[in-house]
Structure formats: C-alpha cells, structure tokens
C-alpha cells in the first residue's frame, strides 16, 4: 500500500513503534540482498553523493529514505572504504530538518578544504501549497565523521530564467578558485547546466549557463558533473525527457556525456561532440565521479531509475550502487572499466578456466556456476549467427547476453531472468558493437554478477550493460552457446 504524503515526509525518529524492526525482518529474508554492492540498510537508496577521498578513506554517500521504497524524506547515508571494494556503513551523515532542508537533503558533492570534508547539497523545502523551494547548502565533516551544518544556505535563490528544478551541485577546484555546476530547468521547461564560482565555498557568484549546442534537449538536466580527462573536457549529466531513438534512449530517463575541449571558464563556452549514453542497460542513473589520490577518475552510479517499481519493494528495500569504474577516453568515447581493486574480491585466485569450440549448441562447465561471481569470456573465430552466454540460469530462468554477427549488435535479454518487472522497465536492450570491426572479430565480455544484478563490460569498456535481475537462488548455471555456426570460447571465473 502506497504511503500518504504525510507518511513519506516523516523523519526517521517519527517512525511508528516497530516499523523499522518490521522492515529489517522483511529484508533479512529477501533472497536478492547483494553480496558486494552498496545497498540500503532499509528503505530506498538512490543517487550517489559526495564521492571523495578524505583522511585515508574513500567516502561515498547516497540518497536514503529509510522508511519505505518510495521517494520521501531524503537523508545522506555515509559509507566508506579504504580500497573501493569493502564498504563500511558509517550511518546518517546529513539529516533533513532545518528551514533550508525541511523536506529532504538532496544530491550534491564533497571537497576537502581546511582539514574538513565540505559537503555541498541541495536542501529541499516545500511551502504550504507544496511548491518546491531549493537551497544550496553546506556542511562540514571532520576526521571523526561528525557532520555540522553551515547555518545559512550558500546559494539562497534561483536565478531569473529558471524554475525551482535547480539542484545537485558538483564542485571542483581550479587554480585556487572553486567552481560548481548545478542541474537546472529553464522557465521554458528545457534542461541545462549552470556554472558558479567561489573563493571560499560559502559565497558563490552565478556566472550563467554552460553553453552547449543542446539548446532544447529534454526538460531537466539532473546530476551534472564536469571533469577534465586526458586533455579533454567532459560534461556528464542525466537529461530527462529524451525520446527513444532506435536502440538509443530506451530507458525512462538517460545518463550520458559530452566530450570536447576544456570548458572555457570565462565565456562558459563548451565545444563538444555528440551526446552519448554511458550505459546500454536498464538500470543506470545519476552517476558521480571523483579523482583518486593517484589521479584516476572513478565513477559510481545508482543502479536503478526514478519512477519505476522493482521486486525488492515488497521486501522493504530498493536499489543499490554500481561497482566503481575507472574512466578513460578511447576514440572520442568515454570508456568505463572496473577498478583493478575489484580483483581483491576473488576468492579463488586461480579462478576456474574453461575453453571450448562450439558449433550449433550450448555447453556448461563443471565449477562454472554461482550466484555472485566475476566472469571473463573471450569469443573468437566466430562465424555463428548468434553467440553468447546464459547466466543465473536454470530450467526455467536465464539472463542472456548475446552477439548477433549479422546485425553486429549486442543484446541483453532479461525476459526470463526471474521475478518479472513492470512493462515500463523493459526486458531487451541492444546496441551496435564496434561499427568498424570485422563481424568475426574477438569479443570480450567481463561480467560482475551479484544476487540481483549484473554489470557487463564489453571489449575493455567500450560498452557497458548494467541491469537488475531477480532470479531464484537455484538459478546458478552458466551456459555458453553458438547458433548457426561455430565460435571458440575461453572463459575464467572467480567466486566473490
């Protein structure tokens, strides 16, 4: 039963007696709790926030509604890790409740200054007519993880020309000056990103819009993130209201990027190429990046989408985050690869190796099965019409990643993955693969499978498919197949 507005906008201390214990009991029996992904202790997780490195730890916060699986009163929940792999739940970092975040602490970012981690976020408020009034707020976290809010908003007003959809500040330091981008909606209901500048993180000057060629591209740009990588400027954002176009933009909302010359911080001009999606799967949104101490650019995203239902809703929790991904640029494209630290999860350092040539059939191998694992597969000498892998499979369930050699397209099919999802979530996602490559070229598939998800990195990160799946616990088989011809398979797997 859906909550009322009053129930959705309760603070955690306003929970009914036994309400949280009931949620925890439901969650404890859920077969889809993840093994190695960040997930909420109760309730709903969404956008990653404040991804940063401070005092020897990677810190990652996320949007959290603790009392249910709908979007309600949002907190920042804090996790941390020394290695990007083993995440420790620290607890609530930012609680809503001041006049400037009375209806939720919304998304934002973090940056170290003066020995503290500065957390910059959107405070959500609503008036008596339920009209939204956003404030950009500041809080400070010390080395003991104690968070103190700055007493006033650092940006109190929405500039003329924009609606109250004005949120998700992402801040960086450039030549001793702080800059920030905010996702915005113009009064003509088109989306954009605006730019601010500050000397101290407390006083901000509005500079104007980042000038792109996408002048009417969706109705809102959420979670913008500007970074510079390998001499290029990269603007990542999540536009809402982009219509589907062949295989592209099939999700309810998109996440993607523009690559170009470094942003001109004086003129705000950004010379860039086409908008490209970051992920070809079903469940990927609101990505955020950070720069690690060794200079790598690392991305994490919400493995889910707004306004959709998922099977775990009935168990009192919803959503998780992706594994951390290292970014690079190859051929004008943003490449995502699992951070090398993920290898620390491998329980059998030797793995289980299998190699075979298949013609018009499928095959499984002793030892290659499981619920949570990492799998690397190379497909070569391929003249088959269809080649691929069925995983989390049984007699009645399977998730399929397959390559159609004639169309040169890769497809993820979750139509038989287990518990069904609503029609709006979709069951098939497809993308063209290496448009310039030979039809029988080597295909690399790198899968990270967990109890209720899969992340598939294709050809060293050229494409990624991220998806939630909800199979039964006894769907553990892995089957390799070639139909309409022959292909060679080489695979190695590690339980995690």
């Amino acid at each position: 039963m859906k909550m009322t507005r009053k129930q959705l906008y309760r603070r955690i201390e306003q929970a009914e007696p036994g309400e949280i214990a009931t949620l925890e009991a439901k969650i404890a029996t859920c077969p889809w709790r993840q093994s190695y992904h960040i997930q909420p202790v109760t309730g709903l997780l969404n956008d990653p926030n404040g991804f940063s490195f401070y005092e020897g730890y990677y810190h990652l916060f996320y949007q959290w509604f603790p009392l249910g699986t709908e979007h309600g009163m949002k907190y920042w929940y804090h996790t941390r890790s020394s290695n990007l792999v083993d995440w420790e739940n620290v607890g609530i970092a930012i609680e809503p409740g001041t006049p400037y975040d009375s209806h939720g602490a919304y998304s934002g970012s973090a940056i170290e200054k003066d020995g503290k981690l500065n957390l910059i976020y959107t405070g959500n408020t609503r008036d008596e007519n339920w009209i939204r009034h956003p404030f950009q707020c500041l809080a400070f976290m010390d080395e003991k993880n104690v968070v103190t809010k700055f007493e006033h908003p650092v940006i109190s007003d929405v500039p003329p020309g924009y609606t109250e959809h004005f949120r998700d500040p992402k801040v960086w330091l450039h030549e001793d000056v702080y800059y920030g981008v905010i996702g915005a909606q113009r009064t003509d209901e088109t989306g954009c990103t605006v730019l601010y500048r500050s000397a101290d993180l407390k006083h901000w000057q509005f500079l104007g819009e980042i000038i792109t060629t996408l002048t009417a591209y969706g109705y809102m740009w959420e979670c913008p993130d500007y970074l510079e990588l390998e001499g290029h400027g990269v603007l990542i954002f999540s536009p809402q209201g982009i219509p589907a176009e062949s295989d592209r933009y099939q999700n309810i909302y998109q996440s993607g990027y523009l690559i170009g010359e470094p942003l001109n911080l004086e003129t705000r001009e950004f010379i860039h190429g086409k908008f490209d999606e970051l992920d070809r799967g079903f469940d990927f949104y609101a990505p955020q990046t950070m720069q690690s101490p060794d200079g790598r650019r690392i991305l994490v995203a919400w493995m889910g989408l707004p306004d959709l239902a998922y099977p775990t809703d009935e168990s009192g929790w919803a959503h998780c985050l992706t594994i951390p991904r290292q970014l690079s640029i190859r051929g004008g494209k943003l490449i995502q690869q699992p951070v090398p630290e993920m290898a620390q999860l491998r329980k059998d350092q030797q793995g289980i190796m299998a190699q075979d040539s298949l013609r018009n059939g499928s095959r499984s191998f002793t030892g290659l099965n499981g619920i949570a694992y990492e799998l690397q597969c190379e497909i070569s000498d391929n003249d088959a019409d269809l080649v691929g892998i069925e995983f989390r499979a049984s007699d009645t369930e399977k998730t399929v990643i397959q390559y159609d050699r004639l169309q040169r397209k890769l497809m993820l099919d979750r139509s038989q993955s287990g518990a069904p999802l609503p029609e709006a979530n979709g069951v098939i996602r497809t993308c063209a693969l290496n448009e310039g490559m030979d039809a029988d070229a080597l295909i690399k598939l790198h899968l990270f499978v967990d109890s209720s998800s899969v992340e598939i990195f294709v050809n060293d990160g050229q494409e990624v498919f991220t998806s939630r799946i909800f199979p039964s616990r006894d769907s553990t088989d892995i089957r390799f197949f070639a139909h309409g011809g022959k292909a060679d398979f080489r695979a190695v797997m590690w339980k995690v």
Side-chain angles (χ1 to χ4, degrees):
M1 187 173 64
K2 282 188 171 292
M3 290 186 179
T4 65
R5 181 184 289 175
K6 184 176 180 180
Q7 289 172 318
L8 284 171
Y9 284 87
R10 293 174 296 160
R11 291 162 52 87
I12 194 168
E13 62 269 21
Q14 296 172 312
E16 297 292 335
E19 184 176 358
I20 293 174
T22 299
L23 278 177
E24 291 172 341
K26 280 186 179 180
I27 291 165
T29 61
C30 179
W32 297 308
R33 289 294 280 176
Q34 300 278 57
S35 298
Y36 58 91
H37 285 83
I38 294 171
Q39 60 192 341
V41 288
T42 64
L44 177 140
L45 164 158
N46 58 301
D47 304 1
N49 295 157
F51 194 17
S52 53
F53 189 86
Y54 171 68
E55 293 289 321
Y57 287 93
Y58 292 93
H59 296 269
L60 186 51
F61 307 81
Y62 57 78
Q63 293 288 281
W64 183 49
F65 175 53
L67 301 180
T69 57
E70 299 171 64
H71 290 271
M73 182 73 84
K74 294 295 177 66
Y75 290 70
W76 273 35
Y77 193 91
H78 182 194
T79 65
R80 70 176 189 177
S81 173
S82 60
N83 62 2
L84 289 171
V85 176
D86 303 302
W87 293 92
E88 166 195 358
N89 284 333
V90 180
I92 294 170
I94 299 178
E95 297 186 37
T98 75
Y100 309 112
D101 58 12
S102 59
H103 289 70
Y106 278 13
S107 290
S109 54
I111 191 167
E112 185 176 355
K113 181 180 182 293
D114 299 333
K116 293 186 177 181
L117 193 64
N118 289 242
L119 312 176
I120 301 169
Y121 67 99
T122 298
N124 181 44
T125 69
R126 298 277 190 169
D127 64 18
E128 61 275 8
N129 297 314
W130 205 246
I131 302 299
R132 183 197 309 265
H133 298 281
F135 297 91
Q136 311 311 316
C137 301
L138 177 64
F140 312 101
M141 189 182 83
D142 65 20
E143 68 280 359
K144 295 181 180 178
N145 301 317
V146 175
V147 175
T148 306
K149 292 181 183 180
F150 188 55
E151 57 186 350
H152 302 297
V154 294
I155 300 174
S156 297
D157 301 309
V158 175
Y162 303 94
T163 75
E164 301 302 317
H165 290 284
F166 195 82
R167 54 182 174 268
D168 312 333
K170 179 69 193 299
V171 174
W172 72 96
L173 182 65
H174 177 77
E175 295 180 354
D176 298 324
V177 177
Y178 295 97
Y179 290 87
V181 285
I182 293 177
Q185 180 187 68
R186 304 182 186 99
T187 51
D188 67 0
E189 296 188 348
T190 57
C192 64
T193 296
V194 299
L195 184 66
Y196 279 79
R197 177 170 59 200
S198 174
D200 60 2
L201 297 178
K202 296 176 182 175
H203 304 87
W204 289 88
Q205 176 189 3
F206 175 65
L207 300 179
E209 285 184 25
I210 291 182
I211 300 168
T212 73
T213 61
L214 305 180
T215 53
Y217 198 72
Y219 60 78
M220 173 64 189
W221 291 9
E222 292 197 306
C223 303
D225 189 346
Y226 178 76
L227 57 117
E228 292 185 359
L229 185 64
E230 301 172 16
H232 299 273
V234 181
L235 181 64
I236 295 173
F237 59 100
S238 295
Q240 297 181 320
I242 306 300
E245 178 186 297
S246 185
D247 294 335
R248 305 172 73 202
Y249 315 140
Q250 290 294 313
N251 291 334
I252 184 172
Y253 303 125
Q254 319 310 322
S255 292
Y257 62 91
L258 304 170
I259 293 181
E261 299 177 8
L263 173 66
N264 186 319
L265 294 169
E266 296 304 315
T267 66
R268 296 171 279 105
E269 185 177 15
F270 183 44
I271 299 172
H272 61 82
K274 66 181 179 65
F275 178 82
D276 203 0
E277 289 177 278
L278 274 161
D279 197 279
R280 306 300 180 177
F282 303 89
D283 302 293
F284 182 97
Y285 197 68
Q288 186 170 104
T289 75
M290 59 87 69
Q291 190 167 33
S292 66
D294 60 5
R296 293 176 294 162
R297 180 62 62 164
I298 300 172
L299 175 147
V300 169
W302 168 21
M303 204 189 301
L305 282 168
D307 306 328
L308 294 176
Y310 289 81
T312 62
D313 293 354
E314 297 301 314
S315 296
W317 70 283
H319 309 304
C320 59
L321 298 182
T322 67
I323 63 171
R325 305 171 179 187
Q326 188 169 319
L327 300 183
S328 59
I329 295 175
R330 187 195 314 150
K333 188 177 180 69
L334 200 59
I335 301 300
Q336 301 172 72
Q337 293 176 284
V339 292
E341 288 91 335
M342 293 303 296
Q344 296 174 47
L345 281 175
R346 296 170 179 171
K347 290 179 180 173
D348 178 354
Q349 287 299 311
Q350 299 306 309
I352 303 167
M353 189 77 69
Q355 190 163 345
D356 197 18
S357 181
L358 289 175
R359 179 182 294 275
N360 291 325
S362 67
R363 184 176 173 191
S364 56
F365 297 89
T366 301
L368 264 69
N369 56 65
I371 290 174
Y373 53 85
E374 176 189 352
L375 174 69
Q376 296 182 9
C377 178
E378 293 185 354
I379 304 172
S380 59
D381 295 327
N382 171 31
D383 67 10
D385 295 340
L386 295 174
V387 294
I389 308 171
E390 298 174 353
F391 56 96
R392 293 304 310 273
S394 63
D395 291 342
T396 58
E397 295 179 348
K398 60 183 178 180
T399 302
V400 185
I401 181 74
Q402 70 177 24
Y403 176 61
D404 184 320
R405 187 178 61 87
L406 302 180
Q407 295 191 59
R408 301 190 186 189
K409 287 188 176 183
L410 201 63
M411 180 178 73
L412 178 63
D413 181 349
R414 67 176 182 186
S415 61
Q416 301 176 65
S417 289
L421 289 94
E423 185 178 339
N425 297 57
V427 293
I428 300 285
R429 289 291 180 268
T430 305
C431 78
L433 183 60
N434 266 6
E435 293 180 2
M437 80 175 194
D438 295 334
D440 60 352
L442 177 71
I443 300 169
K444 297 180 182 179
L445 301 175
H446 191 177
L447 283 68
F448 285 82
V449 178
D450 207 340
S451 303
S452 56
S453 68
V454 61
E455 295 166 78
I456 305 172
F457 299 84
V458 183
N459 288 352
D460 300 315
Q462 177 199 344
E463 301 288 357
V464 189
F465 287 79
T466 298
S467 178
R468 299 300 304 278
I469 54 175
F470 301 94
S472 60
R473 298 290 289 183
D474 57 3
S475 293
T476 61
D477 293 348
I478 300 171
R479 300 189 286 252
F480 304 87
F481 65 87
H483 300 310
K486 169 190 163 295
D488 291 345
F489 289 80
R490 183 176 180 273
V492 59
M493 188 193 110
W494 297 267
K495 300 284 177 68
V496 300

